[in-house]
Every structure is written in C-alpha cells, then in structure tokens.
Amino acid sequence: MKADPLAVIKSVRAVLKPGGRFVGEMGGHGNVAAISVALSAALRAHGLDPSPRNPWFFPSADEYTSLL
C-alpha cells in the first residue's frame, strides 16, 4: 500500500499468532517502471501532477528490510 506501507506491516504483525508466518505477493522494485514513466509523461503533457495519481509502491529489498 503506497499510502502507508509501515501501517500495513504493523497490522500484519499485530494479527499474526506467535510463530506465525505471513506470505504476501508483491511487485518488485522497478516492476512497472516503463509504464509508470509513460503514464507520468502523459499526465505532465496534460498539465497534471502524476505524483498523487501513482497507486504503486514497489520498494527495493533494502527499503523493505528497513521497514521490517
């Protein structure tokens, strides 16, 4: 979740039973880079700021490690 990834991680941790394991499917860092660049360029061409319209959060392994 792009809006607050740390909140998602905290919520998962809160509901896990002791010794439990969470398995989630997530996109990888740079997963949709070409699409994101193209969409951002198209939005800018129409005078729109792409930042608030980007729904994706694909952190690198290092970024997620720091959150966990």
Side-chain angles (χ1 to χ4, degrees):
M1 172 182 249
K2 181 181 176 180
D4 193 354
L6 186 55
V8 173
I9 292 169
K10 286 181 178 181
S11 295
V12 169
R13 183 182 182 123
V15 299
L16 281 177
K17 295 180 180 179
R21 180 171 34 166
F22 172 75
V23 178
E25 177 65 32
M26 302 172 206
H29 180 69
N31 195 36
V32 293
I35 294 169
S36 183
V37 168
L39 287 173
S40 292
L43 288 167
R44 281 192 198 98
H46 290 281
L48 299 170
D49 179 8
S51 297
R53 293 168 174 85
N54 180 352
W56 295 305
F57 176 67
F58 294 127
S60 67
D62 288 340
E63 287 174 294
Y64 247 125
T65 298
S66 71
L67 293 174
L68 297 172

